Amino acid sequence: GENVEQHPSTLSVQEGDSAVIKCTYSDSVSNYFPWYKQELGKGPQLIIDIRSNVGEKKDQRIAVTLNKTAKHFSLHITETQPEDSAVYFCAATQGGGADGLTFGKGTHLIIQP
Amino acid sequence: DAGVTQSPTHLIKTRGQQVTLRCSPKSGHDTVSWYQQALGQGPQFIFQYYEEEERQRGNFPDRFSGHQFPNYSSELNVNALLLGDSALYLCASSLATGGDTEAFFGQGTRLTVV
C-alpha cells in the first residue's frame, strides 16, 4: 500500500518569512495529493490540492509543487501570518478525493511574532 | 450549506464496551469515509461507504464496522473497545464521481476508553 513521509515534524519561522513542508510517497499510481490544515480541536481543512497531470498550483500565499519522477510534493507558504500556525498534513491517493487517503504524520508550523 | 457534521463531539467508554459514532455528509455528497487519528499522528483510513456498501477498507480489525443509510449518513461501530481505540474519529465526505472529488472533514468525535 501507499506510504507517505512528511518533513519536518516541527517548523518555526518568523512572521513574514516563507515556510516549506515536504512529502514523499511510495505508490506510483497515486494521482491526487491534498494538503490539510488542522487547528487545535478541529477537523482537517483542505487548503490546496494537486493532481498528477499538473506540476504546480498556486492559491494566493499558498503553492504546491509535484515531482512525479521523484515521487515528492511540497507545500510553500509565503508571507506567513500568525493565523498560519497549525498542524499541516499531506496526503496521497489514487482516484481523487473520493478514495481513501494516506496521510503523513504532520508538521507543526509555528509562526514567531 | 452545512458541512460535515459528527455526533457526539466527546465520548467516554469503558474497555470492552461498544460504541456508535454518527456522521452526516456535506450536502450533495454521496460517499463517506472514516478515519482514526491518534494523538500527534496523521489520520488513518478505516473504511469508506458508497451506495450503502463498504467500498474500501484500511488495515483495521473486524471490530470496526459501519453502515450507510439511504440519505448518505453513516455510522461507525466499534466493538470490544480497547484502551488503544482512544482517538479522534473523523468522518469525511466526498462525491464518488464528477468534478468535485475533494474530501471534506467533520470536526471529529473524541473517544476516550478507560
Side-chain angles (χ1 to χ4, degrees), chain A residues 2 12 23 25 27 35 49 51 57 65 68 72-73 76 81 83 85 91 99 102 104 106-107 109:
Chain A
E2 177 64 274
S12 181
C23 289
Y25 62 99
D27 194 341
W35 286 88
D49 57 12
R51 299 177 195 274
K57 183 176 178 181
T65 58
K68 287 189 297 181
H72 66 69
F73 55 114
H76 305 252
Q81 300 169 3
E83 55 265 35
S85 293
D99 283 359
T102 300
T107 296
L109 177 61

Side-chain angles (χ1 to χ4, degrees), chain A residues 32 36 38 41-44 46 49 51 89 95-101 103-106, chain B residues 31 35 37 40-43 45 48 55-56 88 90 94-96 101-103 105-107:
Chain A
Y32 176 67
Y36 287 87
Q38 188 173 29
K42 297 185 178 180
L46 179 69
D49 57 12
R51 299 177 195 274
F89 292 97
D99 283 359
L101 296 164
F103 282 84
K105 291 189 174 181
Chain B
T31 301
Y35 292 80
Q37 186 177 23
Q41 300 294 316
F45 176 66
Q48 182 182 81
R55 194 175 85 157
Q56 283 185 313
L88 180 68
L90 295 162
S94 55
L95 195 59
T101 57
E102 293 89 349
F105 283 82
Q107 82 285 359

